[in-house]
Amino acid sequence: MKSIDKEFLDINVGTAPDMADILKSRNKGLDLEVQSLEIQIKTISVSRTPTLDEIKQVINLQTEILDKNEEIKTNDILIAYFESINSYFGKPEMPFRFFPIGNRYEGNFFYNNVSSSGISTLNSFVIQASENGGAANAEIVSGQIAAVRVSFSSVIQGGGKAIDSLEVNTKLFTGGGISNLRFEYPVFYYNRQNILFYSAFKPSFIADIPVFGSDIERESFSGYADLAGEFLVEVRTDGGEFSLFANFKGSHIRGTEAFYNTLKSPDSNAPLGQIDKPFWISQVYAGVSVSKRFRIAANIPIATTSQIQLPDKIQIGIQITPDKDK
């Protein structure tokens, strides 16, 4: 197969889709040329016994067909590359670092744990713990809708003795509830060998059951929308075997009446149920990543609006990402 010039691959992200279309058009033309050459060979073969010149002509035609077929194969590889290209490759200008995904091909390439078939299962498992208890968060399935990543996860919280233990408040900072539907769309992406900056809009819809021991009716629906924005900074070694990262998250929370009634207020004397309107929270995940599969991080609540109380303890978490190549 014809070798591919690396300089040819180093293009502006914005021109990649056009380059794919040009190569597709080129391949159509090559297919027509191959068909024409094959017809010429058949014309010579069915005639009387070919002369020496005709034999040489057939050999030249067959060589030309082989060259064109090789070019078609090479172009097919380049088409797949250019259809999926984004800021991971090439040297895009700064404007292309904002909203780097414009179609499903780029999204398929960008969300590297989303398979080309459309779904990916058991992508990560996180265990977080503090003195008062812990939580287990598993991303069960994920996929892609056009340029947007979508995933479903579940969080199981343990260790709380009662509703005034801040268990529900803590769950806001540890991944949500029993059923979590999340969406992700990149806003900014800058990636070099040793540093990464990544920002994304990540709205989520969380559904849970009323906390046992509360006065809320069992048939009440407890759920909320988490309209979150995240910004990640990562510094890593040359081969990516080890990295340090910090991820800031700010969320606007809008919930059902049952959800508000489970939250704890900063006023320890205030009765449950006084919170009845949307609020915001913020937090930081900071830690280390090893071999791109294991992360150890501290989950640190920073601030909320005045309605709810911050959890008492920092959560320490371990994230495991399965190796999809095995």
Side-chain angles (χ1 to χ4, degrees), residues 164-303:
D164 59 2
S165 67
L166 289 181
E167 180 178 345
V168 179
N169 292 45
T170 301
K171 289 173 73 172
L172 288 171
F173 296 90
T174 55
I178 298 297
S179 302
N180 309 290
L181 181 63
R182 303 187 185 280
F183 300 87
E184 176 179 353
Y185 183 73
V187 176
F188 180 80
Y189 182 80
Y190 177 88
N191 189 22
R192 283 294 178 264
Q193 185 173 19
N194 300 114
I195 193 166
L196 165 70
F197 295 99
Y198 177 60
S199 178
F201 177 53
K202 294 185 176 182
S204 303
F205 300 92
I206 288 82
D208 214 339
I209 60 174
V211 175
F212 293 106
S214 72
D215 295 330
I216 303 173
E217 296 179 1
R218 291 289 177 259
E219 61 269 18
S220 298
F221 172 74
S222 179
Y224 63 93
D226 179 354
L227 305 179
E230 294 191 16
F231 184 76
L232 169 69
V233 179
E234 183 177 47
V235 179
R236 54 183 177 248
T237 57
D238 288 350
E241 304 89 353
F242 178 81
S243 65
L244 302 174
F245 66 89
N247 187 74
F248 172 82
K249 177 182 177 182
S251 298
H252 180 72
I253 307 295
R254 305 181 69 92
T256 64
E257 181 180 355
F259 165 72
Y260 289 134
N261 287 340
T262 62
L263 295 172
K264 183 174 178 61
S265 167
D267 182 0
S268 60
N269 296 320
L272 291 172
Q274 71 167 16
I275 300 170
D276 58 1
K277 60 183 179 180
F279 55 90
W280 63 268
I281 62 174
S282 59
Q283 63 195 115
V284 168
Y285 298 90
V288 298
S289 176
V290 181
S291 299
K292 301 179 182 179
R293 291 188 59 201
F294 304 96
R295 285 192 169 196
I296 302 174
N299 183 355
I300 309 169
I302 300 177

Side-chain angles (χ1 to χ4, degrees), residues 112-144:
N112 59 9
N113 63 337
V114 177
S115 67
S116 58
S117 62
I119 62 171
S120 184
T121 58
L122 297 178
N123 295 309
S124 67
F125 185 77
V126 183
I127 298 176
Q128 299 184 71
S130 69
E131 292 181 8
N132 292 335
N137 185 339
E139 184 176 89
I140 299 171
V141 64
S142 70
Q144 192 179 327

